[in-house]
Amino acid sequence: MGGDYYEILELNRNATDADIKKAYRRLALKFHPASNREPGSNERFRQLGEAYDVLSDLRKKATYDKFGDSGLKGGIPLELAIGGAWSSKYAYHDNPEKTFKDFFGSSNPFSDFYITDLPLQFGGLNPEENKIKDDPIERDLYLSLDDIYHGCIKKSKISRKVMNDDGCTSSIRDKILTVTVKPGWKDGTRITFPKEGDQGPNNIAADMVFIVREKPHPLFERQDNDLIYHKEISLEMALTGFAVDVETLDGRIIKIPVNEIVHPSYKKVVPGEGMPLPHNPSQKGDLIFTFDILFPEKLSAESKSLIKQALRD
């Protein structure tokens, strides 16, 4: 072959098995004939296959490290073959494509790197441009109205596959994603963490997307940037006036007088007491009061007479 196996893989002699796999993966993709048309790339691809074939095998590697290329290919006496060293003559099968396919575990290792039938160009593969990205992973993020009014920090733990240093195997690891909730966010707001899904040798990791889901509030109903407050009142209150005390989401008690006659479609609007506007939290929507009028189930004759007389005036 000529040349040092470690130099061919651009490694030093302290390289680990993971380093060897990672280096072969990178260089074999770079110099594969399907992606590299430069002069000498075919020979370099063959050299990479032989270097990996030796250094990825513990017995061959042990012989090469101790006795060099001549010991590996010329064979060594059995009495010197200690520590599992190779004791017979080594010869590469001269099929770097087989080494490549065995490494990637596919009869068509480049299938995942093609979007069309067009060959790869310009001397190499750009994985981020040619790999297929996984579909987004969506999770609901349940928030109270108070969380959205004030803004808050929410943390979520995810478990995902992460590629190991060898570029081939993966392991499961946990990660904490932090969502900074902005005042005024609306139900359905999407927060995207790019490429936080499972990693793999032949894919681009999916985006992790959190979708805001607004939890019901005991007092208020949200409509866009407004807050709706429902209150039951008597017919007497509807006709004669009253005041409503309500605690706002920021903890204030406000008293709202209602001096108008409350009819079925009546609404009392208090400007600036609703939800913060998402793009300008210093401004707020309105607080809108709606009323359910409770009518008496029965009236005495005297009461009816008095009501008729009052309504005639």
Side-chain angles (χ1 to χ4, degrees):
M1 176 195 71
D4 180 273
Y5 290 136
Y6 289 97
E7 290 180 359
I8 290 169
L9 289 173
E10 299 178 1
L11 296 168
N12 61 48
R13 290 186 171 268
N14 295 323
T16 64
D17 184 61
D19 294 333
I20 294 167
K21 286 184 171 66
K22 187 175 182 180
Y24 176 74
R25 174 184 173 79
R26 176 177 60 86
L27 294 170
L29 287 172
K30 178 179 179 181
F31 289 99
H32 192 283
S35 63
N36 195 320
R37 301 286 195 272
E38 295 180 1
S41 60
N42 285 352
E43 177 59 21
R44 182 68 192 280
F45 182 66
R46 194 200 69 78
Q47 291 176 346
L48 289 167
E50 181 174 337
Y52 178 74
D53 186 62
V54 171
L55 297 184
S56 64
D57 185 293
L58 292 179
R59 295 174 63 223
K60 298 174 189 174
K61 181 177 181 295
T63 300
Y64 181 74
D65 287 345
K66 187 166 185 177
F67 300 102
D69 189 68
S70 60
L72 178 71
K73 296 181 178 179
I76 58 172
L78 287 176
E79 60 269 18
L80 297 179
I82 57 175
W86 192 258
S87 58
S88 59
K89 295 180 180 181
Y90 166 76
Y92 184 51
H93 51 63
D94 266 340
N95 188 350
E97 192 67 42
K98 179 180 183 303
T99 305
F100 185 87
K101 291 177 180 179
D102 288 345
F103 179 87
F104 284 94
S106 171
S107 60
N108 186 10
F110 271 85
S111 60
D112 290 335
F113 302 110
Y114 279 83
I115 297 177
T116 69
D117 291 331
L118 296 176
L120 297 168
Q121 298 177 353
F122 304 113
L125 173 72
N126 187 335
E128 290 299 307
E129 291 182 0
N130 295 280
K131 292 181 182 179
I132 296 176
K133 187 170 184 177
D134 292 341
D135 293 333
I137 301 168
E138 297 182 349
R139 285 190 180 181
D140 290 334
L141 178 65
Y142 288 94
L143 299 173
S144 69
L145 205 55
D146 298 85
D147 289 334
I148 301 172
Y149 183 89
H150 296 284
C152 62
I153 301 294
K154 295 291 184 180
K155 296 181 182 294
S156 179
K157 185 171 78 170
I158 63 170
S159 297
R160 61 175 188 154
K161 292 180 181 178
V162 177
M163 293 302 297
N164 297 325
D165 290 340
D166 60 15
C168 303
T169 60
S170 63
S171 54
I172 302 295
R173 298 181 191 173
D174 293 336
K175 184 173 183 178
I176 302 296
L177 299 181
T178 300
V179 179
T180 302
V181 178
K182 302 296 184 182
W185 274 2
K186 297 180 180 180
D187 190 84
T189 297
R190 299 168 69 89
I191 307 96
T192 301
F193 291 84
K195 300 180 184 179
E196 291 292 353
D198 289 340
Q199 297 177 354
N202 300 320
N203 72 299
I204 298 174
D207 295 340
M208 178 68 68
V209 181
F210 291 94
I211 304 174
V212 171
R213 300 301 182 197
E214 191 177 286
K215 294 189 289 188
H217 191 273
L219 296 180
F220 301 109
E221 176 187 338
R222 183 178 183 181
Q223 290 184 1
D224 198 12
N225 296 317
D226 298 331
L227 291 175
I228 311 299
Y229 183 88
H230 299 281
K231 184 172 178 60
E232 291 183 344
I233 60 172
S234 67
L235 180 59
E236 176 192 353
M237 295 169 67
L239 296 175
T240 61
F242 57 97
V244 181
D245 292 338
V246 61
E247 183 177 357
T248 62
L249 290 174
D250 56 5
R252 294 175 292 116
I253 303 295
I254 58 175
K255 183 182 288 290
I256 306 300
V258 181
N259 299 317
E260 303 85 0
I261 291 176
V262 177
H263 50 79
S265 60
Y266 175 86
K267 294 180 180 180
K268 180 73 174 181
V269 179
V270 184
E273 292 292 351
M275 293 295 292
L277 274 59
H279 302 297
N280 188 3
S282 63
Q283 297 185 7
K284 295 182 175 66
D286 298 334
L287 174 60
I288 301 173
F289 289 85
T290 63
F291 302 98
D292 293 328
I293 303 171
L294 302 177
F295 286 79
E297 294 183 0
K298 60 182 179 179
L299 290 172
S300 66
E302 182 181 0
S303 296
K304 291 179 181 179
S305 177
L306 291 173
I307 290 174
K308 288 179 181 180
Q309 182 178 351
L311 293 177
R312 288 195 191 102
D313 295 340

